[in-house]
Every structure is written in C-alpha cells, then in structure tokens.
Amino acid sequence: MKYISTRGHNHLYSFEEAVLRGLAMDGGLLVPQSLPDFSNQLDYWTDLSYQQLAFEIMFPFVENCLSGVELKHIIEQSYAVFDTPEITPLTAFDGGYILELYHGPTFAFKDIALQFLGNLFDHFLGKSTQPELNIVGATSGDTGSAAIYAVKGKENVRIFMLHPKGKISPVQALQMTTVLEPNVYNIAIEGDFDDCQSLVKALFNDEPFRKNTYLGAVNSINWARILAQVVYYFYAGLQHLKSLPDKPLFFSVPTGNFGDAFAGYLAKKMGLPIQQLIVATNENAIVARVIQDGRYSPTKAVATLSPAMDIQVSSNFERLLFYVLNQDGEAVLFLMNQLQRKGCFELNRNCLENIQKDFCAYQISNEETLEQIQQLKQQGIEIDPHTAVGVVAAIKAKLGKTLCLATAHPAKFKEAFVSATGVAPEPIAVLEVLKSKESRCATAPVDVETLKQYMELKINETNSRKGLL
Ligand SMILES: *Cc1c(COP(=O)(O)O)cnc(C)c1O
C-alpha cells in the first residue's frame, strides 16, 4: 500500500515515510492510495480479540514495511499497557452504549493511537538509516502526556513537549512533568496554546533545522494515528451487530481536530455498516457548522468545559474533503488556498450533500454538558465533559441506540464533574499520587531562537554522552 497527498501532488509515500514525515511534501495530508473492503469478512471477525482485529484491519495498510510477525508484535506491545483485556469496553445506558476509550496509561483516548505510533517510531528507527528522531509538539492537555508515555525511555527518540505555562490543568501538567526519563523534555512556554503551536510551526518551517535535528511530529495529522482509531469502530460495531443484528449502527463522536470522526468515516468506507456518524462539538463549532451549511470559517477559539476540543482549525477535515470531492486533489488544494487567502471556504451543494449522507452535527453548550454529566450520574454512570458533549448530541439526534465515544476518564476533569454533580468522580490512584512525585520542567519565553538553542544543547549533550559509552 502506498500513500498520496490530499492536495494532488503525485508523489507516492511508503507507510514508513507516512509515519515518519507526518505531512506530505506539498503541505497536504497523507491518505492511502486505495481502501480495502472488509464487508465480506465481518462475519468471521465477531469473536476476535481487540489485538487480533487490529491486526486484520491494519495489515493491508503496512504491507511492504512491516511483516505480519512485526505488526503483531507492535500491536501486542501497544495494548499490553491497557488496564482491561477488552481494551475498549462498552457500558450500556438508556440511550445506547458508552464506548470507553480511556483505559490506557494517561486515561484519554489518545493513548490508543499514540502507544501504537511510539512503537512504530521505535521499530522504524531501529532499521532505517535515520539515526534518531526528535519529536516536538504543543499540547493543551491530553496529547502531551499520551505522547510522552508513548516514547519515554525509548532509544533514539527524544520528545520536546511545549505547554502554555499555568494554562493547563494541574493534573495534566503533573502527568507530563513527573516523567523523569532522560529523553523527555517538558517546556512551559510563557504564553498561550497558540504561542506554543506557532513555535512548533516555526521549527518545522525551518528546513535546515528540521533536517539536521531529525524533527518528528505526533499530532493528529499522522496517518498511523487515524489507522489505529479505525480499529475500535469495528470492535464496538461488531459487538453491536452481534447483539442487535437488525438495529442500525450509529456512533456519536466528540470532535476537535476531526481525527476520531474521520476514523469512523473510514471504517464505514471499509465496510462497517454505520448508518450515521454524529459529530458533536462544544461552542467551538467550526466542524458542526460546515456539516450543517457548508461554510467553513474558523473564528477565535473560546474556553469551554471540554478543553481538548477548543480548536479553531480542524486539520483532519481536509482528509474528508478529499473523499467527498471524489479524491480530486486539485479541488482540495483550491479550497485550502481559499482558506489561506480569505480565511474561509464554502462547499458546493453536491459536496455538502455527500457529507450529509454520512454525518449529522450538533453544537453543545457548557450547560447541556453539565446537565448530561449529572443525568448519567443518576444512572450510576460517570462521564467526563468531552464524552458528555457526544452523549447530548446522540440524544438530540434521536436516531436510536447510539455508541457514544468516551474520550477521557472523568477523574481527569474532576472540576467539571464536581460542578455538575456536587461530588468527586471515582478517583484514579495513580493520578492521586502524582502530587507527591518529583517533577522536572524547563520554562522558556515565546522565542524560536531560545527554543532552538535549548533543543540543540540537549541533543548534543545526550549524543556526546552516548558517544562516550
Ligand atoms: C483530543 C480529544 C478529543 C478530540 O479528538 P479529535 O480527534 O481531535 O477530534 C476529544 N476528547 C478528548 C478527551 C481528547 O483528548
């Protein structure tokens, strides 16, 4: 399987290149040249374990870069760190099921993809001519800790994670800064999340620096992350079809960067009979609006109770455009250029109707979010504010029993839970002890040169130490 850019440039990339590069050379996102059709296999897959199913789904995408044995090993390794053998269990509630995606080491769904990605990095670096990988990322919370846990202690990989100083939750900060492995560098930036992101962008746009330091990315545009997320749609969908074979399949997805929702769309394209995907946003509703009326116009992000979805530009939406525009890269490029020049674009009617065949969308307020947390608590079910956004949307859509993706453990967003219910969520023991642990974090101003110098210093320091051994 080869990969191509969503923007029409006709270069072919291998799976390994797609994993290590992140973006295509023309600035587009990478998508597979074709998609397998699994519809005839579904009957045989019902009783597979999560890991076995992951293998069946992923193998066609990694052929030529990983052997079957290698892929199996990477999958086993990635999901051995989850705290339940089902990996992504389902819990029933009045409106359907809660699909719990937070059983990984940092208690948010990002672990499912980032554990896999971290092990892929490790594998490819062990074999390729590239000696090392220096990951740089900006985080407003969950991505940072999931990425750090995915690569901590790995040889030939360092991670430099930027977060806005004092602007992420105390638990989220501690989850990152108490990781003391020598290849982990946390940097608190004296600015906001946008400042962190523009610093990261500036590093990637500095071609000599990027090449010399073997810069790598872990953000949700990485194809391997999407691929790993397709698996749980099949896993949960097959369970639903087994227990309720004549009931249509609906998923509700709390959405920020559109990675998770896009993975659901791919699952459908590959033969999982999903009737409709419900896209749920908070007040930052760029994606909900474009699905409703075809106008994509980012504004300034506002802070909500579901901060991992406080996003202005939904990068992965470009991948959906590629498919609904019949894989016409030039048409995607045209829209992306408009976005750059005018700050918005508008979809034509045909394209919008195409999207609405598979998606409906809802924008959910903070009040509705709190109300929903409270209501499910009365049924004995605890959910976090991101999950609540998806549950509200599912109820509003009135389609029938819906699989609602639960993207974070409620204990990660304790404050919101307490203000909704008056009581604390079930605590997580390993989060409770973080406060008493040693932590390490550098502080830096919003300045690219300072950041570059710091990174070069740390890279040289550890490389020369390695040379001495
Ligand atoms: C990242 C995140 C989301 C949004 O996922 P996207 O793939 O960016 O749409 C939702 N909930 C939580 C808890 C997250 O960490």
Side-chain angles (χ1 to χ4, degrees), residues 319-339:
R319 283 191 165 111
L320 177 67
L321 289 178
F322 180 74
Y323 286 100
V324 295
L325 291 166
N326 300 315
Q327 315 200 24
D328 178 351
E330 288 189 8
V332 176
L333 179 63
F334 177 78
L335 292 179
M336 290 303 131
N337 283 341
Q338 275 203 329
L339 181 63

Side-chain angles (χ1 to χ4, degrees), residues 285 287-295 352 356 360-363:
V287 177
R289 276 198 306 269
V290 69
I291 291 171
Q292 286 158 0
D293 66 15
R295 230 183 112 69
L352 182 59
Q356 290 173 344
C360 58
Y362 294 86
Q363 171 183 351

